[in-house]
Amino acid sequence: MIVLEWRFLTIAPCDAAEPWQLGSQDAATPMMQGIIDLHHDIFFFLILILVFVSRILVRALWHFHYKKNPIPQRIVHGTTIEILRTIFPSIIPMFIAIPSFALLYSMDEVVVDPAITIKAIGHQWYRTYEYSDYNSSDEQSLTFDSYTIPEDDPELGQSRLLEVDNRVVVPAKTHLRIIVTPADVPHSWAVPSSGVKCDAVPGRLNQTSISVQREGVYYGQCSEICGTNHAFTPIVVEAVSRKDYGSRVSNQLIPQTNQTGEA
Amino acid sequence: MAEVDSSKPPPTLSEQYLLKEKEEKLDMGTKPAEELEVKDPANATSEEVATEENPVVANESSGDPSDEATSNAGESVAESTQAAAEENSETAEQDDSGDKEVEETPEIKIETAPADFRFPTTNQTRHCFTRYIEYHRCVAAKGEGAPECDKFAKYYRALCPGEWVDRWNEQRENGTFPGPL
């Protein structure tokens, strides 16, 4: 009963994993939608095959039981069925591979020019985000650190070990380029509802493009063992409307420019 | 640095050609944007005056975004713009409120380094490095502060982590930069 309550009656935040969740989180990007659709498509045929194979298996066990059928027929060859059951299963993976590769390469491809570049830099054990599109010099940049909120600190309604103090604010319905890199050891930048999991490799800049389709707060966690506090480096992406993004950025940028101007 | 500059022109006819071709291509696209950018600073002064009154409100909205994030952000932004508009209309003419809305959009012009067909893969390390080099070669060719080079600066700043740029700047000063400048 308690389990059922957990399963059905939890008021989980919309885009975080919920207790006893079985499926994926709701898609926020077309890519994630594609992944979920592919998963469901494959699962349909997977279950058909499962039912078919278990039927054959159970039927064989049933009919060839030693009590029911003490002297089995001595069939050791059946050319037709052997050809069929070799060819057919080898075609199935091909039909799975076609949509799978199509999706894989479309994830990789940058079709349109991105509108915003965000650099997600992994550290032991926090993340730094740089918004450098609005810089006019090397020194000035919109950079902030994103630390997890400690286990004993979250407020009511916040998810344990998923919240951070500074979220990544991105505009919705905009093509984003995320440049992922660490400053020390390998990390990974993963947001399940955006369909993104990009490893951060030292000395290398990995690019991943997303386009968040709806406003919301999306949670992710580090997905590459990066040290003792690997579990305490979550990712929180907050998608806002373009207008709000503009005012956020300019509000953070204007104090900075004033500071640099004074200094 | 001077040695690098003087030794630059003779061996690099092909390089110069490459540089020019790219600029011509990109100029078509970026010219209107540059004009916008040039317009900004003139108006920006009046906008800064207007926004200096805001920071109290603005900091509140940006200060604790994690707590009451999405719902409050919209409200506080609306409040701040309203407040600013009111202050403007009190202090100055009605034109200012209209001007501010126009200025607000170019100020945070959403634009970044375009996708480059030379670097179509996930690995963008060379993209960043190449843009950095392109900027400094452009500066070497056209002189410090040439407006043609601004876009390269924008590109490499968008792509490279700040730490890398700092390190490379240091290396250039020491003359140990490992790239063709």
Side-chain angles (χ1 to χ4, degrees):
Chain A
M1 195 57 211
I2 296 167
V3 172
L4 278 179
E5 273 175 23
W6 281 349
R7 181 70 190 87
F8 296 110
L9 301 178
T10 26
I11 306 162
C14 193
D15 285 294
E18 58 188 78
W20 297 89
Q21 179 166 354
L22 289 176
S24 308
Q25 296 175 34
D26 290 347
T29 60
M31 279 311 146
M32 191 58 204
Q33 193 61 56
I35 292 170
I36 292 174
D37 289 349
L38 177 74
H39 170 267
H40 289 359
D41 289 351
I42 291 176
F43 229 81
F44 175 76
F45 293 103
L46 193 150
I47 285 170
L48 282 192
I49 293 167
L50 180 78
V51 168
F52 178 67
V53 170
S54 16
R55 183 181 174 274
I56 292 175
L57 189 69
V58 170
R59 191 176 179 276
L61 289 174
W62 182 262
H63 283 288
F64 291 81
H65 193 257
Y66 71 101
K67 278 181 184 161
K68 205 177 177 64
N69 195 2
I71 305 157
Q73 279 188 310
R74 306 275 173 120
I75 303 173
V76 288
H77 285 298
T79 316
T80 324
I81 196 169
E82 276 175 16
I83 288 174
L84 270 179
R85 72 175 174 214
T86 309
I87 301 288
F88 197 64
S90 60
I91 289 173
I92 293 171
M94 268 165 51
F95 278 100
I96 294 175
I98 292 166
S100 178
F101 277 117
L103 184 69
L104 185 67
Y105 289 117
S106 67
M107 289 168 91
D108 225 20
E109 203 156 347
V110 182
V111 185
V112 280
D113 282 345
I116 285 164
T117 305
I118 294 166
K119 282 169 277 183
I121 298 165
H123 291 89
Q124 279 176 325
W125 289 277
Y126 62 98
R127 283 156 201 290
T128 306
Y129 294 98
E130 288 185 16
Y131 294 64
S132 310
D133 290 345
Y134 320 103
N135 290 4
S136 45
S137 73
D138 283 350
E139 284 73 35
Q140 167 217 8
S141 82
L142 180 48
T143 305
F144 58 87
D145 293 339
S146 174
Y147 284 88
T148 183
I149 291 178
E151 229 175 312
D152 47 357
D153 218 20
E155 289 167 25
L156 193 64
Q158 288 190 326
S159 303
R160 175 179 158 272
L161 299 184
L162 274 181
E163 297 286 348
V164 296
D165 52 359
N166 291 311
R167 294 167 167 175
V168 205
V169 177
V170 302
K173 295 188 174 121
T174 308
H175 291 277
L176 312 172
R177 173 199 278 137
I178 317 276
I179 299 257
V180 185
T181 190
D184 34 49
V185 299
H187 293 261
S188 181
W189 199 84
V191 182
S193 43
S194 302
V196 169
K197 177 171 284 180
C198 191
D199 275 6
V201 182
R204 173 177 159 140
L205 306 176
N206 277 339
Q207 163 182 276
T208 180
S209 7
I210 58 173
S211 164
V212 182
Q213 290 301 300
R214 54 190 170 86
E215 294 160 29
V217 182
Y218 307 102
Y219 295 90
Q221 287 173 306
C222 186
S223 302
E224 177 76 36
I225 295 287
C226 59
T228 40
N229 287 349
H230 167 65
F232 307 101
T233 44
I235 298 144
V236 183
V237 176
E238 183 179 342
V240 298
S241 70
R242 265 201 189 213
K243 208 176 111 253
D244 291 349
Y245 171 80
S247 47
R248 283 263 183 125
V249 168
S250 48
N251 281 346
Q252 292 192 350
L253 210 59
I254 287 164
Q256 272 198 340
T257 45
N258 285 350
Q259 278 171 12
T260 50
E262 286 162 14
Chain B
M1 289 306 290
E3 289 173 13
V4 176
D5 286 358
S6 60
S7 67
K8 187 86 250 175
T12 55
L13 272 176
S14 60
E15 285 173 3
Q16 275 182 337
Y17 173 73
L18 275 174
L19 200 64
K20 266 182 187 171
E21 191 194 43
K22 267 175 239 145
E23 276 161 21
E24 280 165 10
K25 268 188 195 167
L26 289 168
D27 268 348
M28 306 299 284
T30 48
K31 257 193 180 166
E34 275 167 14
E35 281 169 12
L36 270 180
E37 277 179 339
V38 173
K39 274 180 196 170
D40 289 342
N43 293 341
T45 50
S46 69
E47 204 237 22
E48 272 172 29
V49 174
T51 46
E52 264 168 20
E53 293 151 1
N54 282 0
V56 187
V57 187
N59 285 341
E60 276 175 7
S61 66
S62 62
D64 50 358
S66 55
D67 296 339
E68 310 111 5
T70 32
S71 60
N72 272 12
E75 288 169 22
S76 59
V77 165
E79 280 171 23
S80 66
T81 46
Q82 276 180 4
E86 281 169 20
E87 280 164 349
N88 276 349
S89 59
E90 282 170 17
T91 51
E93 296 157 16
Q94 288 181 340
D95 294 358
D96 275 30
S97 62
D99 269 8
K100 193 175 180 294
E101 285 170 10
V102 175
E103 288 159 17
E104 199 79 54
T105 36
E107 168 68 38
I108 39 89
K109 191 153 55 69
I110 290 180
E111 189 191 65
T112 189
D116 193 325
F117 67 89
R118 290 176 294 176
F119 310 100
T121 54
T122 303
N123 188 354
Q124 294 288 308
T125 320
R126 280 218 158 257
H127 194 178
C128 144
F129 188 65
T130 307
R131 289 306 194 189
Y132 184 80
I133 286 175
E134 276 175 350
Y135 171 69
H136 286 287
R137 278 157 96 173
C138 178
V139 165
K142 307 268 175 170
E144 193 74 45
E148 301 98 310
C149 304
D150 287 351
K151 62 171 180 294
F152 293 120
K154 195 174 158 55
Y155 294 167
Y156 87 71
R157 276 180 203 132
L159 291 165
C160 300
E163 213 176 299
W164 293 24
V165 171
D166 292 344
R167 196 173 68 222
W168 288 341
N169 284 342
E170 211 171 284
Q171 285 175 344
R172 275 189 312 109
E173 278 165 25
N174 300 335
T176 55
F177 185 72
L181 283 179

